[in-house]
Amino acid sequence: MDPMEQARHRMVDEQLARRDIQDARVLDAMRRVPRHAFVPAGREHEAYLDRPLPIAVGQTISQPYIVALTAQALRIGPDARVLEIGAGSGYAAAVLAELAREVVTVERHPLLAAEAAARLASLRYGNIRVVTGDGTRGYPEAAPYEAIAVTASGPRVPSALLAELAPGGRMVIPVGPDEHRQELVLVTRGDDGQFSETILGAVRFVPLVGEDGWARADGV
Ligand code: SAH
């Protein structure tokens, strides 16, 4: 094993499996995806610490534990079609793509979207589509989805995302009153179409900026 792979396996054993990540498919996916290929150049040595890291345009690549917790809560089967909002570096999309049949990931920053698409292509992820746009409207062109992962936090669950969730589907989304306080919410949709919510824990994500998210005065 090369040193990066060794560090990654250690991270999975010590930071994930020793906590409450027990789904074997999720742990395997986390062992496969080379997170060091998704962090900024020069920070590869930090890729297997269990913490978020800054990427371009003031955004972050999520903490591995939160990516694993989200993937586990979504219970993604091999045939699932998954929607991610907030591609960022593309890291979480790669983890989801290891679990699912197909992933659509929406990113509002054109630069991040282009970089994520190029990176995922060079890593040979053929089952991920990167779309540039406002993910608070979801991506109705490919709906419905069995699982939706939102990796930026808004004031509420966007109604378009509820509409695009298949009956029996699951969504994980951070929701909170501001950029400091949020809860990671699991929304499940019953086979009868009814929604219910469970709180997975306290988290801190970058803001979900868009029509059904936060409006941003600075125009970034
Ligand atoms: N999943 C990413 C984490 C990225 S941070 C990773 O693994 O690297 C959240 C991302 O959400 C940022 O890149 C931000 O630009 C993006 N974002 C914020 N609001 C958005 C919106 N309305 N639609 C799509 N992406 C959005």
Side-chain angles (χ1 to χ4, degrees):
M1 257 193 232
D2 71 59
M4 284 296 180
E5 195 176 357
Q6 230 165 29
R8 183 161 69 247
H9 281 237
R10 197 174 324 120
M11 187 267 291
V12 171
D13 293 345
E14 293 174 5
Q15 308 291 341
L16 309 182
R18 243 181 241 171
R19 295 172 76 182
D20 53 351
I21 310 301
Q22 299 303 329
D23 184 320
R25 290 186 73 236
V26 171
L27 293 169
D28 280 349
M30 298 296 293
R31 285 192 187 97
R32 279 197 296 272
V33 180
R35 190 170 186 260
H36 63 275
F38 293 85
V39 303
R43 302 197 74 160
E44 291 86 352
H45 61 288
E46 295 174 76
Y48 299 111
L49 303 176
D50 188 31
R51 59 169 79 134
L53 287 172
I55 57 173
V57 290
Q59 304 304 315
T60 56
I61 171 172
S62 305
Q63 177 189 352
Y65 173 73
I66 296 294
V67 174
L69 182 71
T70 299
Q72 177 169 269
L74 289 172
R75 294 191 193 154
I76 298 165
D79 285 331
R81 296 174 58 257
V82 179
L83 175 67
E84 182 195 28
I85 307 304
S89 68
Y91 172 66
V95 172
L96 298 169
E98 294 278 351
L99 298 164
R101 178 153 62 91
E102 196 188 332
V103 175
V104 176
T105 181
V106 184
E107 170 56 53
R108 69 180 283 266
H109 276 291
L111 171 73
L112 290 175
E115 286 183 356
R119 186 177 288 129
L120 291 165
S122 74
L123 291 168
R124 309 245 176 280
Y125 280 98
N127 61 339
I128 303 175
R129 195 179 339 165
V130 182
V131 175
T132 306
D134 176 8
T136 65
R137 303 148 125 193
Y139 187 66
E141 290 87 336
Y145 307 94
E146 283 78 44
I148 300 179
V150 184
T151 68
S153 70
R156 61 190 160 268
V157 182
S159 54
L161 298 183
L162 293 172
E164 292 174 30
L165 192 61
R170 299 163 80 84
M171 164 162 42
V172 171
I173 176 169
V175 180
D178 58 50
E179 58 185 281
H180 306 292
R181 281 172 302 154
Q182 302 133 30
E183 282 172 328
L184 196 60
V185 179
L186 169 67
V187 181
T188 54
R189 184 170 203 179
D191 292 324
D192 59 359
Q194 294 297 309
F195 297 99
S196 52
E197 290 190 2
T198 326
I199 311 281
L200 301 177
V203 286
R204 193 168 164 185
F205 279 81
V206 297
L208 179 70
V209 179
E211 200 172 285
D212 201 1
W214 299 110
R216 205 132 107 190
D218 58 14
V220 174

